[in-house]
Every structure is written in structure tokens, then in C-alpha cells.
Amino acid sequence: MLQLYIDDGVEGRSHRLKMVDPNFRYTGIAHCKSDRIAVVYSENKNSNGVSPGKPAPINPSVRPNAKKIELIALEAINKIRMKPKAVAKQIKDFYNGAPNIKPTYKEAYKTLLNLAPTHPVKWSEGLSKAALDQCSEPGYNIK
């Protein structure tokens, strides 16, 4: 799940920037057939422009349509947002001693060290549907 933040191969690191943006309060996540994760964020609206109201519980027994990997991604995103220095240590431990580590790992590590903790994002079913729509876009279903 650290790859969500490291954002290797994405010019401008747009995923990384959105993930830690304190203006975002809601998220929707979908696991695509290509085994990629699509994530959509919003300040205060769902994909239909309607306030999502009380966030949906993320307990799979309450949300039977949520895939385990989507719940893991939500937890990972919120850990990055709330405990950036702890995640920085995980990244450093991962690449420490690796002979050919990509610069994006070091860049992610340094960025997290300087990042202030922020609030977690809450699950939005409407945004999850929007994320699922992203799975059908070109590029998401390429393995």
C-alpha cells in the first residue's frame, strides 16, 4: 500500500498530493480488475454533488460490497495522513540498503518527514462509485 503514496511513474505526483491534502475530507476507493486501486477525493461532496452526510461505516459486515483491499487502502491512506513520520520510517526501512533504489522512494520519505499530520478521510459510497467508474478508463485496466 506504500506504492499509493510513493506514486512511482506518475508525473507530478498527483496521487501523493491529493492523498495528504487537508482540504479533502471524503474518499471513495475501488479495486479495479487490473488489480490497480482507483481513489477519488472530495472536500465535502459526493460524486453527485450531494453532501454525503454521515460517512458510511467501513465495517465489511455493514458494507458487504466493500472489498478487503479497499478497506486496507483506506486504512493506509489515513495512516499516511495522520502519522506521516511513522510511514516515512516504513519507507526508509523498506529501501534501506537496497542497491538500486528509485529516487521516488527517497523523495517520498523526505516529503513525509516534513508533512504535518492531518485528519483522516471518511468513506463515501458515492465517491466509491466514481472510483469504480475510473476503473473503466483507459490505462486502469492495463496489467
Side-chain angles (χ1 to χ4, degrees):
M1 286 296 145
L2 289 177
Q3 291 301 328
L4 282 172
Y5 183 77
I6 293 169
D7 216 9
D8 190 35
V10 178
E11 196 172 317
R13 310 284 181 253
S14 60
H15 298 125
R16 181 188 300 175
L17 297 172
K18 290 176 186 175
M19 185 180 297
V20 297
D21 187 332
N23 293 313
F24 292 129
R25 301 218 172 255
Y26 296 93
T27 190
I29 301 168
H31 182 224
C32 306
K33 290 179 185 177
S34 63
D35 215 24
R36 293 182 183 198
I37 298 286
V39 184
V40 177
Y41 298 94
S42 176
E43 292 179 15
N44 59 9
K45 305 288 181 192
N46 69 17
S47 63
N48 298 323
V50 178
S51 176
K54 185 177 179 185
I58 59 169
N59 181 335
S61 64
V62 179
R63 283 199 65 253
N65 295 331
K67 295 177 184 173
K68 185 175 181 178
I69 194 165
E70 294 165 353
L71 301 175
I72 291 169
L74 178 63
E75 288 175 15
I77 289 166
N78 282 332
K79 183 175 181 181
I80 289 166
R81 290 174 66 90
M82 296 185 304
K83 299 178 180 183
K85 287 179 179 45
V87 176
K89 183 182 180 324
Q90 282 183 296
I91 291 172
K92 186 175 183 183
D93 290 346
F94 176 77
Y95 78 72
N96 201 14
N100 297 316
I101 195 66
K102 293 183 178 183
T104 50
Y105 285 78
K106 292 179 182 180
E107 179 188 305
Y109 168 75
K110 289 177 184 176
T111 304
L112 284 170
L113 281 181
N114 296 311
L115 190 66
T118 191
H119 58 83
V121 287
K122 298 173 185 172
W123 186 272
S124 165
E125 196 62 38
L127 291 175
S128 292
K129 290 176 183 174
L132 190 58
D133 286 346
Q134 272 192 0
C135 288
S136 64
E137 292 180 9
Y140 268 91
N141 288 314
I142 298 171
K143 285 194 176 189

